[in-house]
Amino acid sequence: MRARHEKQVLIFDADDTLWENNVLFERVIDDFLDWLAHPTLDRAELREILDDIERANSAAHGYGSKVFLRSLGDCVSRLRERPATREELRRIDELAVALVEGRIELIPGVTDTLDALGERHDLLLLTKGDTEEQQRKLAVSGLERHFGGIHIVAEKHAGTYHELAREYALAPEATWMIGNSPKSDILPARQAGLGAVFIPNENTWVLEHSELDPNDPGVLRLSAFPELLRHF
């Protein structure tokens, strides 16, 4: 795809697109599974149980570290066949201190790339999750200044993108959703008629995985965030 010199509207995902997110959760999960040390179930079986619990809790309660901690506690309760004790919940909190403290690890090249893109295009942010938690991460990241609009939603689906397009009177042919999640960023944006830029993150949450059509001309696939400058 050739570089686009005409003005575009670029909509950015946040978690695992602008900053690392799921890798922090994965580190906690690794420590959590080590701590569980179940006598009969191996790590893969334990992870499958946890994934099922997370899937149910995210559908019922949304996303973010609070729901994640709840899932870890629910996992202990299911495996122990009793409510998690106060000591067990305290240990879970200790394992997840990096999440609780809200540390941010920017994806390499993000700041400089946004600086350059913002000089020639309109930038928006569209992220899902707990509103307070996402606002805090954005503030810590120092990236808020790049975006002409910031939207934090409970879930991303085609209707989310249709609504955003109406609010800003976006022209679909000049609007692109940029993110790492096929399920939340790419597929629903395409269903809404927008272009999409898929930048995979090897640590993307398993529940955000989905198959993309390799022949879809409306999806641009990049390997790293700074590559956006070659196309926009």
Side-chain angles (χ1 to χ4, degrees), residues 88-109:
E88 287 169 336
L89 294 177
R90 185 191 64 78
R91 179 56 179 155
I92 289 172
D93 288 341
E94 290 178 349
L95 292 173
V97 66
L99 299 177
V100 175
E101 291 181 354
R103 302 171 189 170
I104 292 294
E105 299 178 14
L106 291 180
I107 300 290

Side-chain angles (χ1 to χ4, degrees), residues 13 29 50 55 63 71 73 87-88 90 101-102 119 126 141-142 153 157 184-185 190-191 195 201 215:
D13 171 51
I29 290 172
L50 178 59
R55 186 175 292 107
Y63 303 91
S71 294
E87 177 61 24
E88 287 169 336
R90 185 191 64 78
E101 291 181 354
E119 293 179 355
L126 175 63
S141 74
V153 297
H157 45 72
S184 295
D185 301 324
R190 293 297 294 133
Q191 291 165 6
N201 185 314
N215 299 314

Side-chain angles (χ1 to χ4, degrees), residues 54-196:
E54 285 198 278
R55 186 175 292 107
N57 278 342
S58 63
H61 307 292
Y63 303 91
S65 59
K66 293 178 182 178
V67 179
F68 175 67
L69 293 177
R70 177 181 185 140
S71 294
L72 296 184
D74 289 349
C75 188
V76 170
S77 296
R78 182 179 298 186
L79 293 170
R80 304 285 196 254
E81 298 183 339
R82 56 161 174 76
T85 66
R86 182 178 300 179
E87 177 61 24
E88 287 169 336
L89 294 177
R90 185 191 64 78
R91 179 56 179 155
I92 289 172
D93 288 341
E94 290 178 349
L95 292 173
V97 66
L99 299 177
V100 175
E101 291 181 354
R103 302 171 189 170
I104 292 294
E105 299 178 14
L106 291 180
I107 300 290
V110 160
T111 300
D112 290 344
T113 302
L114 290 179
D115 279 336
L117 291 174
E119 293 179 355
R120 52 185 185 259
H121 302 294
D122 293 328
L123 311 185
L124 301 174
L125 183 74
L126 175 63
T127 184
K128 72 178 185 180
D130 178 79
T131 300
E132 181 180 348
E133 184 170 357
Q134 293 301 89
Q135 288 175 334
R136 175 187 52 73
K137 287 193 285 188
L138 184 59
V140 172
S141 74
L143 300 178
E144 187 171 3
R145 63 185 175 84
H146 294 285
F147 303 106
I150 294 169
H151 298 264
I152 301 171
V153 297
E155 191 60 86
K156 292 179 185 174
H157 45 72
T160 309
Y161 294 90
H162 280 301
E163 183 177 343
L164 196 66
R166 286 193 297 269
E167 179 177 346
Y168 289 91
L170 302 178
E173 67 277 7
T175 305
W176 296 78
M177 178 64 199
I178 299 162
N180 68 291
S181 168
K183 175 178 177 290
S184 295
D185 301 324
I186 309 306
L187 292 176
R190 293 297 294 133
Q191 291 165 6
L194 308 182

Side-chain angles (χ1 to χ4, degrees), residues 20-29 98-99 103 105:
E20 297 288 3
N21 181 65
N22 198 56
V23 67
L24 303 181
F25 288 82
E26 290 295 330
R27 291 169 187 167
V28 175
I29 290 172
L99 299 177
R103 302 171 189 170
E105 299 178 14

